[in-house]
Amino acid sequence: MSLDKSPAPPSARAAVEQLKAYSAPLEGRRQMLRLDFNENTIGPSPLVAQALRNFSTEEIAVYPEYDGLRDALLKNLEETGCRPGLKPDQVGLFNGVDAAIHAVFQAYGDAGETLLTTAPTFGYYSPCAGMQGMTIEAIPYEGESYDFPLSAIQEALAARAPRLLLICNPNNPTGTRLPADQVIALAASAPSTLVVVDELYEAFTGDSVLPSADFTATPNLLVFRSLAKTAGLAGLRIGFAIGHADVVDRVSRVTGPYDVNSVAVAAAFAALADQSYVDAYVAEVLRARDWTLQALQDAGVRSHCDGGNYLLIWPQRPVAEVDAALRKVGILVRSMAGKPLIDGCFRVSIGTTSQMQRFMEAFLPLEQ
Ligand SMILES: Cc1ncc(COP(=O)(O)O)c(C=O)c1O
């Protein structure tokens, strides 16, 4: 029997008491070949390193300023094919896209309303829906190639007009792609639903809706972009939400005034000014992806890859064993244990060709 008479701490909101927090195995990753979080595996542009070296103590002492950053993003988007004419008030700044996701749910998701999404998909959407007390309708990808469940999504939109539709395009972890015109058609068909397209990995497919989106015609469309995965700023936390100015305003209302820090801002300016660095990195990842897929096929290993800088592998041995063996030689991958439809595989991020050669040299002997 416990003699502890100390009072219990107060309960949180009911939805939070039931919440299973999103947790990711983030510790102890330094010095390893990190193929577990789909990050840039070689780091950001030298211009970013220079900007950080030039960062002054005065800049550390004052609150951040965001002047010009939205314009810099828009200029970069235009350079990369986005339709011109977007205005700075159509860009929201967030402490990573994770914070943008959180803000969307806080601004738009009420208890009892529905998040429509797909399964399996990025793991942070569900806890955000959960903390608002929302219901989640997650429609599975279809068949062995994990096709986008387009007609089921169309039916759900028409039948239930959910509050939010979240599409990860290309999808993490299946790589499933949905052409931009179909994303826009979904938004046009459901004007009372906020349709959020998470384009974190679009640089690897070119499927972005931004070149063709018209936020006047479809004001319910919101697009996420990040400098984490291609530009190599994951550790600094900066992400963007792009859409109709009124939607961006609503989503920005629920964040703190200085959630994006000055160091991230300085790095973002430098990264956005060096698109050729990002283009070269993306091109190398695509070469490495082809090389890896060929090597897996030659070895008779089951794998799945579509869009994105990652692929799925079904090893002969239990995933936990493979994970541990790779970790022993300094290589991290991500187990997909417990994920619907892909339980039993692991996800490996694609780095450079030489990094993938190192991965294959460690992985293939485990298949014998
Ligand atoms: C699909 C997707 N969205 C959002 C995020 C979070 O991005 P950020 O690092 O910009 O918060 C990730 C990170 O893994 C992701 O895979």
Side-chain angles (χ1 to χ4, degrees):
M1 205 176 77
S2 166
L3 295 176
D4 186 1
K5 288 267 166 32
S6 46
S11 303
R13 290 189 290 115
V16 175
E17 288 297 330
Q18 285 162 28
L19 198 64
K20 196 172 167 289
Y22 177 71
S23 77
L26 271 169
E27 303 309 320
R29 301 174 65 237
R30 303 272 187 293
Q31 313 302 325
M32 309 280 258
L33 175 55
R34 296 176 296 271
L35 303 179
D36 50 348
F37 277 80
N38 306 337
E39 296 154 327
N40 173 315
T41 56
I42 59 167
S45 151
L47 294 188
V48 171
Q50 187 62 45
L52 298 187
R53 272 195 297 273
N54 292 345
F55 201 77
S56 69
T57 49
E58 184 192 14
E59 286 171 283
I60 294 172
V62 299
Y63 284 108
E65 290 181 21
Y66 304 119
D67 264 7
L69 184 56
R70 293 174 173 84
D71 300 275
L73 175 73
L74 292 178
K75 185 163 170 277
N76 176 273
L77 289 177
E78 275 185 37
E79 266 169 37
T80 53
C82 172
R83 173 187 176 122
L86 287 177
K87 300 279 184 307
D89 63 359
Q90 294 186 259
V91 177
L93 307 178
F94 296 89
N95 189 11
V97 162
D98 280 343
I101 296 167
H102 190 212
V104 160
F105 280 89
Q106 284 198 306
Y108 281 87
D110 244 333
E113 292 181 326
T114 300
L115 161 69
L116 177 62
T117 190
T118 51
T121 192
F122 180 51
Y124 192 49
Y125 308 149
S126 296
C128 287
M131 65 184 84
Q132 299 303 115
M134 293 178 82
T135 301
I136 302 167
E137 182 176 0
I139 300 188
Y141 286 94
E142 292 171 347
E144 290 210 339
S145 48
Y146 306 104
D147 297 333
F148 189 84
L150 186 60
S151 42
I153 292 278
Q154 284 166 330
E155 276 163 35
L157 280 177
R160 292 180 279 290
R163 187 69 162 139
L164 286 169
L165 166 62
L166 237 156
I167 301 172
C168 187
N169 192 33
N171 184 49
N172 172 13
T174 60
T176 308
R177 302 167 60 172
L178 187 63
D181 57 341
Q182 296 188 19
V183 176
I184 292 169
L186 284 175
S189 76
S192 64
T193 299
L194 183 67
V195 176
V196 182
V197 197
D198 185 340
E199 290 194 351
L200 239 75
Y201 303 98
E202 64 76 37
F204 301 101
T205 63
D207 288 335
S208 174
V209 296
L210 285 177
S212 46
D214 173 351
F215 294 109
T216 309
T218 43
N220 59 325
L221 184 63
L222 188 70
V223 182
F224 290 154
R225 288 294 189 90
S226 165
L227 296 174
K229 308 292 180 173
T230 47
L233 303 190
L236 290 177
R237 317 303 300 128
I238 183 154
F240 307 99
I242 301 141
H244 192 284
D246 291 348
V247 174
V248 169
D249 172 49
R250 299 306 186 279
V251 179
S252 303
R253 281 182 199 180
V254 297
T255 66
Y258 307 118
D259 281 359
V260 178
N261 73 73
S262 310
V263 181
V265 172
F269 272 116
L272 290 168
D274 197 359
Q275 184 59 32
S276 60
Y277 184 85
V278 171
D279 291 343
Y281 179 69
V282 169
E284 170 57 14
V285 167
L286 294 179
R287 275 192 297 275
R289 191 170 73 180
D290 288 348
W291 180 87
T292 311
L293 284 171
Q294 189 61 53
L296 287 167
Q297 194 183 325
D298 292 348
V301 176
R302 181 181 165 201
S303 69
H304 173 79
C305 180
D306 203 340
N309 58 341
Y310 42 85
L311 59 92
L312 300 176
I313 292 178
W314 281 260
Q316 303 279 348
R317 301 174 192 219
V319 172
E321 217 177 283
V322 175
D323 188 282
L326 289 173
R327 186 176 288 266
K328 241 188 196 156
V329 293
I331 301 174
L332 301 177
V333 296
R334 191 80 177 268
S335 166
M336 293 286 112
K339 288 254 184 195
L341 304 181
I342 56 168
D343 198 11
C345 77
F346 66 89
R347 188 190 65 199
V348 58
S349 310
I350 316 285
T352 63
T353 306
S354 63
Q355 289 172 333
M356 298 320 287
Q357 284 165 344
R358 183 177 155 201
F359 162 74
M360 288 300 280
E361 276 161 23
F363 169 64
L364 283 184
L366 301 173
E367 286 293 278
Q368 266 125 48

